[in-house]
Amino acid sequence: MFSRLAFLKRIKAPNGGTYNLRKTATTTTTTTLSAVLPEQPIGFRFFASQIAKRTSCFKPWPKGDYVGSFRKMSSTAGIGMAKNEEGLKLVLVNGGSRARKMVGIWLFGSAAWVFSMVLLGGVTRLTRSGLSMTDWKFTGSLPPLSEEEWLHEFDKYKQSPEYKRINKGMSIEDFKFIYWMEYAHRMWGRALGVMFALPFSYFLRKGYITLGLGLRLSALFALGAGQGLIGWWMVKSGLEEPASEYAQPRVSPYRLAAHLTSAFAIYCGLFWTALSVVMPEPPAESVAWVRGAAKVKRLALPVGILVAITAVSGAFVAGNDAGHAYNTFPKMGDTWIPEDVLDMKPLIRNFFENTSTVQLDHRILATTTLISIGTLWWSTRKLDIHPAVKSLIGSTIGMAALQVTLGISTLLSYVPVSLGTAHQAGALTLLTLMILLNHTVRRPSMSLLKSLPQVAKTT
């Protein structure tokens, strides 16, 4: 290679200087190329100073990170490039560990806020407060502050089908309670939007957010903004006159399911992203544990999907008030399967609008979920896996058993607000554990995998 570069020994530089190729006085035959230049023209120096200003933001390599030998550097270049490319895919936050911690806390806090929103929405529905506000503004508005304003809002509510058919004769004090519940739910959602947007703008300005993370969070923010529209679209269906004079006014089960599913999707997206920020790599200390985690993942992924489907089916139970029917267990009344489960035409409507079918579906899905999680635990109990994964699987089966117990108790007690809310919180908690489990058993990067021993060290 040096013979080919020999022509550089005495090359004239454009400004009269020369490039010299010299050998360094080291034990190896490493060569370096240096430029020996005389005083530069004023224009050239100005140009160079501008480049220096624009590149001053790049930090120097910390001591010990550089490679002292050209031969060593060239031999590891391919591996280094592969590691860097993988690292860029894994790293979602710039700015080091402190920035990653700050963004992680913000995302976990946002996910917790969405969790509380789901619970508040459940309480609002169970107290029949969701139809107390008969109009909606995207930016919100102040609540009634005088007795005259309260009477005006109450008069608007008196025109609704819910008042005429269910709450006729309600006092102004009772109306204030359900109004405040719905108002709190709406304003809590708007506060979440502000709490998310302000730190997001700050972190963008600081340069902490990478392009991939920015796009993901922008999509979640847009979905969150759309939640207000979906919520009003849902409420609007409950303000319309029911088709039958004997039917109780309630929101469309399809729209309620869309509203709840969207909230669950936002929560899952925020929680998964927060985990990815604070834990770019899964816990893996040996190749054996990685193989065990891969076996767990083959079961955990479909079980997680089943948990999500069961939670969505619960939205249709709520939308059809199916929890107030067949308050017996394990039978539904005097039979295992009610006779009217397929009465509606076309047939598909029964699975979303028929009270008997909707509750039967939810019972079957809940039982199947419990059995599936039990199978997951049984199938993985002897695998060589990380202790954190074993602990997560144990917590998941415990939560699944508790959730089924809460569901049965809620049904037998005719859906009290306390148990109904706890059951909804249990569904989201179980889904949280499944997300955490699937995130923990994902495949590590190739660079990490190559550095792992075959078997974990025992202490």
Side-chain angles (χ1 to χ4, degrees), residues 184-197:
H185 181 56
R186 294 188 184 189
M187 296 310 295
W188 196 242
R190 291 183 174 93
L192 170 60
V194 175
M195 194 279 291
F196 186 87

Side-chain angles (χ1 to χ4, degrees), residues 197-273:
L198 291 181
F200 188 27
S201 302
Y202 171 78
F203 291 137
L204 279 174
R205 185 177 180 83
K206 295 288 286 186
Y208 294 163
I209 306 295
T210 61
L211 177 61
L213 180 60
L215 292 174
R216 191 186 306 184
L217 294 179
S218 297
L220 290 171
F221 183 73
L223 189 58
Q227 265 293 79
L229 296 172
I230 296 173
W232 172 242
W233 178 58
M234 175 190 70
V235 168
K236 221 177 152 187
S237 65
L239 298 175
E240 299 169 356
E241 289 288 343
S244 169
E245 61 178 323
Y246 303 105
Q248 287 191 356
R250 61 191 182 201
V251 299
S252 163
Y254 298 100
R255 300 186 187 187
L256 190 149
H259 190 50
L260 186 61
T261 302
S262 180
F264 274 33
I266 294 169
Y267 172 79
C268 293
L270 285 171
F271 188 65
W272 182 277
T273 304

Side-chain angles (χ1 to χ4, degrees), residues 153-394:
E153 289 295 327
F154 194 25
D155 287 339
K156 290 197 293 184
Y157 177 66
K158 287 179 179 179
Q159 307 304 314
S160 68
E162 184 179 67
Y163 177 83
K164 295 175 182 177
R165 299 196 184 193
I166 299 176
N167 291 332
K168 196 170 183 67
M170 170 185 273
S171 67
I172 184 68
E173 295 303 320
D174 291 336
F175 170 71
K176 286 181 180 181
F177 172 78
I178 62 173
Y179 187 95
W180 278 120
M181 286 298 304
E182 174 63 11
Y183 185 82
H185 181 56
R186 294 188 184 189
M187 296 310 295
W188 196 242
R190 291 183 174 93
L192 170 60
V194 175
M195 194 279 291
F196 186 87
L198 291 181
F200 188 27
S201 302
Y202 171 78
F203 291 137
L204 279 174
R205 185 177 180 83
K206 295 288 286 186
Y208 294 163
I209 306 295
T210 61
L211 177 61
L213 180 60
L215 292 174
R216 191 186 306 184
L217 294 179
S218 297
L220 290 171
F221 183 73
L223 189 58
Q227 265 293 79
L229 296 172
I230 296 173
W232 172 242
W233 178 58
M234 175 190 70
V235 168
K236 221 177 152 187
S237 65
L239 298 175
E240 299 169 356
E241 289 288 343
S244 169
E245 61 178 323
Y246 303 105
Q248 287 191 356
R250 61 191 182 201
V251 299
S252 163
Y254 298 100
R255 300 186 187 187
L256 190 149
H259 190 50
L260 186 61
T261 302
S262 180
F264 274 33
I266 294 169
Y267 172 79
C268 293
L270 285 171
F271 188 65
W272 182 277
T273 304
L275 288 173
S276 300
V277 166
V278 301
M279 192 169 62
E281 292 278 13
E285 296 179 21
S286 71
V287 175
W289 282 0
V290 172
R291 289 172 182 160
K295 293 176 182 178
V296 174
K297 185 179 180 180
R298 284 197 290 268
L299 294 173
L301 184 58
V303 171
I305 294 172
L306 181 59
V307 169
I309 293 172
T310 305
V312 173
S313 75
F316 284 97
V317 172
N320 288 282
D321 281 335
H324 293 280
Y326 302 106
N327 300 99
T328 56
F329 190 86
K331 288 186 176 182
M332 297 180 69
D334 297 326
T335 62
W336 290 99
I337 300 176
E339 296 179 355
D340 62 341
V341 291
L342 299 176
D343 278 4
M344 288 186 174
K345 303 296 179 186
L347 193 66
I348 192 68
R349 286 182 59 202
N350 290 283
F351 297 96
F352 305 105
E353 300 177 39
N354 189 325
T355 300
S356 302
T357 313
V358 166
Q359 191 187 123
L360 177 63
D361 286 347
H362 193 59
R363 290 185 183 214
I364 293 172
L365 283 168
T367 306
T368 306
T369 299
L370 180 61
I371 293 171
S372 299
I373 294 175
T375 303
L376 171 65
W377 171 80
W378 182 264
S379 303
T380 59
R381 73 192 191 285
K382 293 183 179 180
L383 286 177
D384 186 14
I385 52 180
H386 197 285
V389 178
K390 282 192 175 182
S391 178
L392 266 174
I393 295 173

Side-chain angles (χ1 to χ4, degrees), residues 9-298:
K9 286 183 178 179
R10 300 295 299 173
I11 291 183
K12 292 283 185 180
N15 55 5
T18 59
Y19 292 106
N20 293 326
L21 182 69
R22 67 177 186 269
K23 292 186 178 181
T24 59
T26 60
T27 55
T28 63
T29 56
T30 305
T31 60
T32 58
L33 183 66
S34 63
V36 181
L37 300 175
E39 184 70 19
Q40 306 299 328
I42 294 175
F44 181 85
R45 283 182 303 193
F46 175 77
F47 179 70
S49 66
Q50 294 305 307
I51 293 177
K53 286 181 182 179
R54 284 160 174 74
T55 57
S56 60
C57 59
F58 294 103
K59 296 180 180 178
W61 285 69
K63 186 177 180 180
D65 284 356
Y66 62 91
V67 180
S69 166
F70 178 82
R71 180 177 294 176
K72 183 179 178 182
M73 183 174 68
S74 61
S75 65
T76 58
I79 298 173
M81 287 176 65
K83 286 183 179 179
N84 287 339
E85 288 174 3
E86 261 187 323
L88 288 173
K89 293 177 183 177
L90 289 173
V91 175
L92 295 175
V93 176
N94 299 318
S97 59
R98 183 174 177 274
R100 189 164 61 246
K101 183 179 179 181
M102 291 172 61
V103 174
I105 291 173
W106 164 58
L107 290 176
F108 278 123
S110 299
W113 199 307
V114 175
F115 193 109
S116 69
M117 276 290 299
V118 172
L119 296 192
L120 184 56
V123 174
T124 303
R125 176 182 56 80
L126 290 167
T127 55
R128 294 189 176 276
S129 305
L131 301 178
S132 57
M133 296 179 68
T134 57
D135 52 15
W136 181 81
K137 294 179 181 178
F138 185 79
T139 55
S141 59
L142 291 173
L145 299 176
S146 65
E147 196 64 25
E148 183 180 352
E149 290 177 347
W150 275 113
L151 290 173
H152 177 67
E153 289 295 327
F154 194 25
D155 287 339
K156 290 197 293 184
Y157 177 66
K158 287 179 179 179
Q159 307 304 314
S160 68
E162 184 179 67
Y163 177 83
K164 295 175 182 177
R165 299 196 184 193
I166 299 176
N167 291 332
K168 196 170 183 67
M170 170 185 273
S171 67
I172 184 68
E173 295 303 320
D174 291 336
F175 170 71
K176 286 181 180 181
F177 172 78
I178 62 173
Y179 187 95
W180 278 120
M181 286 298 304
E182 174 63 11
Y183 185 82
H185 181 56
R186 294 188 184 189
M187 296 310 295
W188 196 242
R190 291 183 174 93
L192 170 60
V194 175
M195 194 279 291
F196 186 87
L198 291 181
F200 188 27
S201 302
Y202 171 78
F203 291 137
L204 279 174
R205 185 177 180 83
K206 295 288 286 186
Y208 294 163
I209 306 295
T210 61
L211 177 61
L213 180 60
L215 292 174
R216 191 186 306 184
L217 294 179
S218 297
L220 290 171
F221 183 73
L223 189 58
Q227 265 293 79
L229 296 172
I230 296 173
W232 172 242
W233 178 58
M234 175 190 70
V235 168
K236 221 177 152 187
S237 65
L239 298 175
E240 299 169 356
E241 289 288 343
S244 169
E245 61 178 323
Y246 303 105
Q248 287 191 356
R250 61 191 182 201
V251 299
S252 163
Y254 298 100
R255 300 186 187 187
L256 190 149
H259 190 50
L260 186 61
T261 302
S262 180
F264 274 33
I266 294 169
Y267 172 79
C268 293
L270 285 171
F271 188 65
W272 182 277
T273 304
L275 288 173
S276 300
V277 166
V278 301
M279 192 169 62
E281 292 278 13
E285 296 179 21
S286 71
V287 175
W289 282 0
V290 172
R291 289 172 182 160
K295 293 176 182 178
V296 174
K297 185 179 180 180
R298 284 197 290 268

